[in-house]
Amino acid sequence: MKLFRSFKSLQNELYSSNFSCEELVDFYLKKINQSKNNSFVETFNDSALSQARAIDQEISVKKHRKLSGLIVAIKDNICYEGHGVTASSSILKGFKSVYSATVVRRLIEHGAIIIGRLNCDEFAMGSSNEKSTYGPVKNPIDPNKVPGGSSGGSAAAVSEGLCLVSLGSDTGGSIRQPAAFCGVIGLKPTYSRVSRYGLIAYASSFDQIGPIANNIEDIALVLEVISGKDRNDSTSSSLDVPNYTKLNPKRSNKKIAYLSECINHTGLDPEIRQNFLLKIDELKHQGFVVEPISFPLLDYLVATYYVLSTAEASSNLARFDGINYANRVSNVKDLNEAYVFSRNAGFGEEVKRRIMLGTFVLSSGYHDAYFTKAQKIRRKIRNTIEEVFKTYDYVLTPTTPHVAFNIGDVNTDPTQMYLEDIFTVLANLSGNPAISMPINNHSTGLPYGFQIMGRNFDEEGILSFSKNYF
Ligand code: GLN
């Protein structure tokens, strides 16, 4: 058997009885076991094999479900009833989900097989997957490099072929940046398109779950299944879910903008800049109107994101107190010590830094100076982007300023690490959907990505444009 790169070819072979679903799952479990990249935290052997046997049964009576046999792995911050979930933090080690996330429930209902959970930065805070209690994930293209983060395991597993599709979560770029570093496709849907029920919250007004895969068809298929209203998430949109898999034909009557400040950014790798400008020329030749626009707010994005996301995180993570959730240390004198010692022992350095920063920006003396101000800037950013999309259909930028960096190089400098998010946080601050498409012409041999941001709920447009022109 081979590692599949597309669900269509897998399903064809499965339904031609070239192998059974049980054999397929066995094969993937062995491959995951042999992998040295540390992308999986755990495989769900028993439940995956029993799902596979059920599908074999269905195949024998010619029953067909949309995702029958799709091998999916989920980021370690998405709940699956009866299975471990820890947000790659030692504070949750040993914790088992008591219910399934809506995305997981929907995938299973359509026949997907959840093969295991994937390493990530602790509580999805990071850009390199080095902040995990399970140790760093290695980039499958070069094991000395980081896979990106925080959904580093999700991107690395798909890139290495250990699953066909994975789910990640994206609060400031955590699906798109690792997808770019590992040479695969990652989509952050419009905020509210996909239910967040069962996702361990980091910053609730930014978080979105989305797919990572090798091709647009698989992204579209999974998005179609996981999108839609969910009564367990009151913020989920009740807009109809289109048939994302029905991709539009080539049409170059679209208007595209790119942000001058991104392209002139001093931190942008010159080769990425040059290739980006070549891509712009190519699109113009294909008939698109492509224009540079000025976006002076670029320098405010990272700061605004880190004020607001840490504020939300400090509140969301308050529940991990050793009483309601999380591991409690023993030998404490009183309740206060139980909280303090448990949280001190369980959280890693970066998580503590963000909880403290978030508590600070929300504290009574500083609330207006930081939190309220950042909210106002967020509103300004949203208004500006809304204006842009009145004229343009898509906004193009590189996904990241450079290719994957060495494990260890940035890990000790938080500010440097935060700047990794400069091109991706915009879509989270504004809520718009954005995809990272892999580009493979860098002289280092490492992949990078071009990011396509679209109008709210125009996943259809983004997917078709990406499929036809990237
Ligand atoms: N790198 C960003 C951060 O550290 C984004 C994380 C994410 O999207 N979950 O917050």
Side-chain angles (χ1 to χ4, degrees):
M1 208 180 294
K2 58 176 195 249
L3 292 167
F4 287 93
R5 290 278 161 194
S6 102
F7 179 52
K8 199 165 175 207
S9 60
L10 181 152
Q11 215 181 26
N12 282 342
E13 292 205 28
L14 188 61
Y15 275 79
S16 321
S17 298
N18 290 357
F19 44 77
S20 70
C21 197
E22 194 172 347
E23 285 166 336
L24 179 75
V25 167
D26 248 333
F27 170 78
Y28 271 89
L29 288 172
K30 282 207 187 78
K31 285 287 170 199
I32 294 167
N33 230 328
Q34 289 160 0
S35 166
K36 304 235 178 317
N37 289 333
N38 200 25
S39 54
F40 274 80
V41 170
E42 187 188 355
T43 50
F44 300 146
N45 299 31
D46 291 348
S47 55
L49 286 165
S50 91
Q51 282 178 288
R53 283 188 285 269
I55 285 167
D56 282 331
Q57 190 61 38
E58 291 175 8
I59 293 175
S60 72
V61 295
K62 305 244 169 329
K63 184 174 167 195
H64 190 282
R65 285 188 279 168
K66 202 166 177 171
L67 302 182
S68 292
L70 179 68
I71 308 289
V72 181
I74 54 178
K75 185 174 177 177
D76 185 28
N77 61 353
I78 299 175
C79 297
Y80 178 14
E81 189 179 350
H83 296 75
V85 65
T86 67
S88 293
S89 176
S90 49
I91 206 161
L92 280 173
K93 270 203 179 147
F95 182 80
K96 279 197 166 39
S97 300
V98 289
Y99 62 88
S100 288
T102 300
V103 289
V104 168
R105 199 175 41 73
R106 289 187 179 164
L107 286 171
I108 291 175
E109 268 167 24
H110 285 86
I113 291 165
I114 313 292
I115 199 134
R117 62 185 161 111
L118 298 159
N119 205 338
C120 60
D121 284 298
E122 186 177 0
F123 284 100
M125 297 174 183
S127 304
S128 65
N129 215 134
E130 292 166 288
K131 313 279 189 201
S132 161
T133 187
Y134 305 108
V137 175
K138 293 177 184 156
N139 190 315
I141 292 141
D142 175 348
N144 297 314
K145 307 284 177 194
V146 301
S150 63
S151 314
S154 301
V158 171
S159 168
E160 209 187 335
L162 303 179
C163 56
L164 271 143
V165 178
S166 65
L167 292 184
S169 66
D170 192 313
T171 307
S174 280
I175 290 176
R176 291 159 286 154
Q177 186 252 21
F181 280 6
C182 293
V184 292
I185 305 174
L187 172 75
K188 180 201 86 77
T190 311
Y191 182 78
S192 80
R193 180 70 298 185
V194 176
S195 166
R196 291 179 292 114
Y197 181 70
L199 170 70
I200 296 180
Y202 158 20
S204 311
S205 77
F206 297 82
D207 297 341
Q208 265 297 281
I209 297 173
I212 296 179
N214 294 296
N215 57 69
I216 289 288
E217 287 79 1
D218 290 357
I219 295 269
L221 193 61
V222 167
L223 184 68
E224 210 168 276
V225 166
I226 63 175
S227 295
K229 185 67 192 164
D230 174 17
R231 64 185 182 85
N232 288 321
D233 173 3
S234 59
T235 64
S236 64
S237 167
S238 42
L239 277 184
D240 283 347
V241 178
N243 291 338
Y244 294 122
T245 37
K246 259 213 225 126
L247 296 165
N248 304 329
K250 283 194 166 192
R251 244 189 293 142
S252 57
N253 58 346
K254 302 276 178 196
K255 282 188 88 173
I256 300 166
Y258 63 98
L259 310 180
S260 315
E261 284 79 2
C262 286
I263 294 311
N264 299 327
H265 198 266
T266 47
L268 180 61
D269 173 318
E271 255 186 79
I272 298 186
R273 176 184 295 119
Q274 198 192 351
N275 291 330
F276 184 83
L277 292 171
L278 286 173
K279 183 71 194 175
I280 297 290
D281 281 343
E282 189 188 311
L283 289 167
K284 284 183 187 160
H285 279 123
Q286 285 163 321
F288 290 97
V289 174
V290 193
E291 292 168 346
I293 57 166
S294 173
F295 188 72
L297 292 166
L298 185 75
D299 283 339
Y300 296 89
L301 298 180
V302 171
T304 309
Y305 167 76
Y306 276 93
V307 169
L308 296 177
S309 64
T310 55
E312 293 187 26
S314 71
S315 156
N316 274 326
L317 270 59
R319 75 194 67 176
F320 303 105
D321 58 3
I323 309 289
N324 291 301
Y325 290 100
N327 296 318
R328 188 186 320 167
V329 296
S330 46
N331 291 332
V332 290
K333 277 204 318 282
D334 53 26
L335 184 62
N336 197 45
E337 271 196 15
Y339 289 147
V340 174
F341 293 177
S342 302
R343 283 166 72 80
N344 192 32
F347 286 135
E349 195 189 41
E350 181 60 26
V351 174
K352 286 179 192 163
R353 180 182 295 120
R354 294 195 191 196
I355 292 174
M356 287 193 284
L357 182 58
T359 308
F360 174 76
V361 300
L362 287 175
S363 59
S364 62
Y366 297 95
H367 189 281
D368 286 353
Y370 292 101
F371 185 73
T372 311
K373 188 149 193 186
Q375 290 284 37
K376 286 184 184 163
I377 301 171
R378 186 180 195 182
R379 169 51 61 195
K380 220 176 152 74
I381 293 164
R382 284 184 177 217
N383 292 348
T384 310
I385 285 300
E386 228 175 87
E387 268 316 300
V388 170
F389 280 116
K390 281 186 186 154
T391 310
Y392 298 95
D393 297 283
Y394 307 119
V395 174
L396 244 59
T397 65
T399 309
T400 59
H402 45 71
V403 294
F405 45 89
N406 287 329
I407 294 178
D409 269 7
V410 186
N411 202 18
T412 50
D413 183 347
T415 325
Q416 188 56 34
M417 192 69 95
Y418 298 167
L419 285 170
E420 291 299 319
D421 307 324
I422 181 145
F423 298 154
T424 49
V425 288
L426 174 58
N428 304 83
L429 284 158
S430 70
N432 292 68
I435 197 168
S436 177
M437 291 300 290
I439 307 293
N440 280 305
N441 56 7
H442 200 272
S443 58
T444 54
L446 293 165
Y448 59 98
F450 287 157
Q451 172 177 248
I452 302 134
M453 198 168 134
R455 289 196 182 99
N456 284 329
F457 299 101
D458 189 23
E459 279 80 1
E460 229 176 331
I462 294 185
L463 292 170
S464 308
F465 176 63
S466 307
K467 167 75 192 170
N468 292 332
Y469 297 99
F470 283 83

